[in-house]
Amino acid sequence: LVTSGRDVPPGTNGGVTATGTLAAVAGGALVGAAVGAVFLPVVVMNGDMPIDGHALVLARGACRDAEAGSARLFRAAPGMPLSAGFQTSPQVLLGFVLVGAVAGLVGSLADSVLGATLQASHFDKRRKVVVSAPNKDTEHLCGCNLLDNHQVNLLSSLLTGVALAALSGLWVSRIAFTSV
């Protein structure tokens, strides 16, 4: 159980395994790689090469608000040379993979913690299965009966989305660019 470390039957809300956690990280990394492969041509133009004016690129410096300091999207002018301040494609792709892996881990752990604490799990001794509704044959395993599985999934997705947005903002402003 993610909250206490005790062994629980398979199917218990909040139950975690090393294999499941590694699968969540690997799945997130795979999604990050796919997103990076799709958006990499849009995000990175390396070196002093002219671009056609139709690509959106991330820029820092002249396009940022004085106090905000965050990266912005802008449409490049035709033939505009780009400085070599952008990191190379493999570095940016690795950033996408890492953000995806962290998102997979955060999402998995958020779902497990919420499930273990806010979603009731009971073990039916007669049928030998984990159930959400108690009856005379069940033993309480964990959680209170505040949320159902759909609500836990929604809440953990929202929390992961907010965490990922914050992480991505840091990544875009700190990792994707070198000093210009």
Side-chain angles (χ1 to χ4, degrees):
L1 191 65
V2 70
T3 55
S4 68
R6 77 180 158 102
D7 287 341
V8 291
T12 303
N13 297 311
V16 294
T17 64
T19 303
T21 303
L22 286 173
V25 171
L30 185 61
V31 170
V35 169
V38 169
F39 289 108
L40 206 53
V42 175
V43 174
V44 175
M45 302 289 180
N46 192 24
D48 292 329
M49 53 193 244
I51 57 177
D52 65 5
H54 298 292
L56 291 175
V57 295
L58 290 169
R60 215 169 71 169
C63 294
R64 77 175 155 194
D65 297 333
E67 64 274 357
S70 60
R72 304 262 185 230
L73 284 172
F74 76 99
R75 186 171 292 284
M80 175 183 173
L82 295 174
S83 76
F86 292 96
Q87 291 185 355
T88 60
S89 297
Q91 291 168 311
V92 175
L93 182 59
L94 178 61
F96 277 105
V97 170
L98 291 175
V99 168
V102 169
L105 178 64
V106 168
S108 174
L109 292 178
D111 186 78
S112 294
V113 169
L114 291 171
T117 57
L118 303 178
Q119 183 180 0
S121 286
H122 304 273
F123 185 72
D124 189 320
K125 295 179 228 170
R126 186 176 51 82
R127 295 186 299 156
K128 307 275 190 247
V129 294
V130 175
V131 296
S132 58
N135 64 46
K136 63 179 176 59
D137 295 323
T138 60
E139 170 190 343
H140 182 262
L141 294 173
C142 65
C144 61
N145 196 17
L146 185 62
L147 300 177
D148 67 19
N149 196 54
H150 300 295
Q151 293 165 327
V152 166
N153 291 341
L154 175 64
L155 189 55
S156 65
S157 295
L158 290 173
L159 290 172
T160 302
V162 168
L164 181 59
L167 179 63
S168 295
L170 287 173
W171 172 68
V172 166
S173 64
R174 309 231 176 175
I175 296 174
F177 303 99
T178 58
S179 298
V180 232

